[in-house]
Amino acid sequence: GQNIDQPTEMTATEGAIVQINCTYQTSGFNGLFWYQQHAGEAPTFLSYNVLDGLEEKGRFSSFLSRSKGYSYLLLKELQMKDSASYLCAVKDSNYQLIWGAGTKLIIKP
Amino acid sequence: GAVVSQHPSWVICKSGTSVKIECRSLDFQATTMFWYRQFPKQSLMLMATSNEGSKATYEQGVEKDKFLINHASLTLSTLTVTSAHPEDSSFYICSARGGSESQPQHFGDGTRLSIL
């Protein structure tokens, strides 16, 4: 079966750094996406990784290791507005997007 | 760029009513559109995938006669919930993707549907 694992909930302090991990087992791989979803709102696209390595975009970075079936989203200089759920999603060999259940990130002052 | 507009954002109606939700890509051509449902504190659940001009592909367990999807143009898809009942109350979200399979899906703001 296809599976994406990410922690259910994480807590971090404003101004700090947090890393949200995602591991996946899918039938094939055609890219990994990270989305941010605030409560009651639709997801917004954050990043896309298809090759191994780190993609940096401002305060957010995303890393991929295809051999390990592993990715992480790194958030720096945390702000209160970063409190949200972070969704990891993988495209399998049929280009179907498999969604993780999301990690709820709580930022404390 | 990559703006997706979804209307209405909130619907409250009586049981037995049919409700139509529109999803439009405003600044790109959406070759593929997706419809999701999300219950509180749960993950996104894909309902169906539609390509412009062809019939939608429904996920297992989703009733195609209850959730009618039309994707008549490269910028518009509609989801009609027919004869809605309280158990259909949920947050419905559309997304659109243009170009190749490697492009990300861009989401509309969602429609909160409450059936009384």
Side-chain angles (χ1 to χ4, degrees):
Chain A
Q2 312 215 80
N3 194 49
I4 295 184
D5 288 316
Q6 47 181 138
T8 304
E9 188 174 297
M10 298 181 71
T11 302
T13 305
E14 190 177 15
I17 299 173
V18 71
Q19 177 174 310
I20 302 175
N21 295 325
C22 170
T23 57
Y24 61 89
Q25 300 91 39
T26 56
S27 54
F29 177 84
N30 278 298
L32 184 145
F33 298 84
W34 283 96
Y35 284 84
Q36 180 191 59
Q37 185 178 23
H38 284 100
E41 299 181 11
T44 54
F45 169 71
L46 288 178
S47 68
Y48 171 65
N49 294 71
V50 67
L51 299 176
D52 290 350
L54 188 68
E55 294 280 342
E56 296 186 79
K57 195 184 288 187
R59 293 190 299 115
F60 293 6
S61 303
S62 57
F63 171 84
L64 174 68
S65 169
R66 289 172 295 171
S67 62
K68 295 181 180 178
Y70 167 70
S71 173
Y72 67 71
L73 180 69
L74 191 72
L75 292 77
K76 302 176 184 176
E77 299 169 20
L78 286 170
Q79 301 175 9
M80 297 303 292
K81 67 178 182 180
D82 297 330
S83 293
S85 286
Y86 291 85
L87 309 176
C88 174
V90 173
K91 282 205 172 177
D92 67 10
S93 56
N94 294 320
Y95 292 93
Q96 295 293 314
L97 199 58
I98 312 300
W99 291 89
T103 298
K104 182 179 180 181
L105 178 64
I106 300 168
I107 309 297
K108 295 186 175 179
Chain B
V3 178
V4 177
S5 173
Q6 184 173 344
H7 292 283
S9 55
W10 198 291
V11 180
I12 301 174
C13 57
K14 294 180 180 179
S15 185
T17 308
S18 290
V19 178
K20 180 186 276 190
I21 303 170
E22 289 191 353
C23 181
R24 294 180 185 271
S25 56
L26 298 186
D27 53 1
F28 68 103
Q29 292 188 323
T31 50
T32 307
M33 286 186 167
F34 306 84
W35 288 95
Y36 292 86
R37 181 165 54 182
Q38 187 175 36
F39 293 105
K41 298 185 180 181
Q42 294 188 23
S43 186
L44 292 171
M45 189 185 79
L46 180 66
M47 298 175 67
T49 303
S50 72
N51 292 298
E52 183 263 339
S54 59
K55 288 185 179 180
T57 302
Y58 289 81
E59 295 300 303
Q60 194 171 10
V62 178
E63 301 173 58
K64 58 182 67 177
D65 292 332
K66 179 156 188 73
F67 298 100
L68 302 178
I69 292 171
N70 183 280
H71 191 168
S73 77
L74 283 171
T75 59
L76 173 65
S77 176
T78 61
L79 167 67
T80 301
V81 184
T82 60
S83 187
H85 291 287
E87 59 266 28
D88 298 322
S89 298
S90 187
F91 188 43
Y92 292 86
I93 316 172
C94 75
S95 69
R97 186 190 69 213
S100 70
E101 295 276 1
S102 65
Q103 293 298 309
Q105 295 178 25
H106 297 281
F107 287 83
D109 289 336
T111 297
R112 198 161 299 283
L113 177 62
S114 295
I115 308 298
L116 304 177

